[in-house]
Amino acid sequence: MRRGRETRQWAVILAACFGLRLELGFVPLGALPRRSLAVALGLGSQWSKPAVAGAPEYITISDMPEPHQNANGYWRDYGQQQNQKSTYKSMDEELYLMVNNCGEFQISEKITGSCTGFAKMQGKGVWNVDGKMLEGKVKFKPAQAPGTGLKAGASVEVVKAFPSDDDEKELLKSGWKGTVIAIENTGDAQIDFEKSEVVHFVSKGNFIKLKLA
């Protein structure tokens, strides 16, 4: 019974905060040859089971402005509770998202109940970032695991800049959009970005810096 109540509670929270429905996808396997000697990065295994039943395991944040663009990307349930709600950790930064003692989602460099995070959600689509109110800009939503839904023909967008995993090492900038050309048998991707003159190789370790467009 407790699990049922928690699941319904998270469903209400997500519906209120995000107003969206997730679509399930899969990562198909391909057999195209590699374009470079880049080695895929591992995603690590520092996380434990979700701390609260019914909470999404992954969320994504995008369009967080400077100087906090490092908060963009994938976050994962960290397996701890704060104010009886799950806490999340950025999958490539030492940043945490939690519910503070003021009842707000907030982002901070440590897990704390103190209402001192540099970014605090004030309501659906409204964030207070460094004391400045941003409405309809920062995107915060539940997600499937990184790479879910990535397949040939899928449209993607870079949410955090990173160099391509090939010999060109071109900087793929935040906001760049592209189309997946192929998924290799390693799970890595070849992506044609609109603002680049060549098709780039992206290792699956960098899927945490992409989102489906």
Side-chain angles (χ1 to χ4, degrees), residues 163-183:
S164 60
D165 297 300
D166 47 38
D167 295 338
E168 286 82 3
K169 294 294 180 184
E170 182 174 1
L171 181 64
L172 307 177
K173 298 180 181 180
S174 178
W176 278 24
K177 295 182 179 180
T179 302
V180 177
I181 301 301
I183 300 293

Side-chain angles (χ1 to χ4, degrees), residues 4-19:
R5 287 198 298 270
E6 291 285 5
T7 301
R8 287 193 296 274
Q9 184 179 33
W10 270 101
V12 171
I13 291 173
L14 294 177
C17 291
F18 313 127

Side-chain angles (χ1 to χ4, degrees), residues 140-209:
F140 170 53
K141 62 183 181 180
Q144 300 294 316
T148 300
L150 232 60
K151 58 184 178 180
S155 297
V156 297
E157 180 178 341
V158 178
V159 296
K160 182 182 292 187
F162 66 98
S164 60
D165 297 300
D166 47 38
D167 295 338
E168 286 82 3
K169 294 294 180 184
E170 182 174 1
L171 181 64
L172 307 177
K173 298 180 181 180
S174 178
W176 278 24
K177 295 182 179 180
T179 302
V180 177
I181 301 301
I183 300 293
E184 300 191 350
N185 56 9
T186 58
D188 304 324
Q190 295 182 39
I191 302 177
D192 183 10
F193 290 97
E194 295 174 355
K195 294 188 177 182
S196 179
E197 296 181 354
V198 297
V199 173
H200 282 299
F201 176 83
V202 176
S203 71
K204 59 185 178 182
N206 274 325
F207 289 175
I208 60 177
K209 299 169 185 175

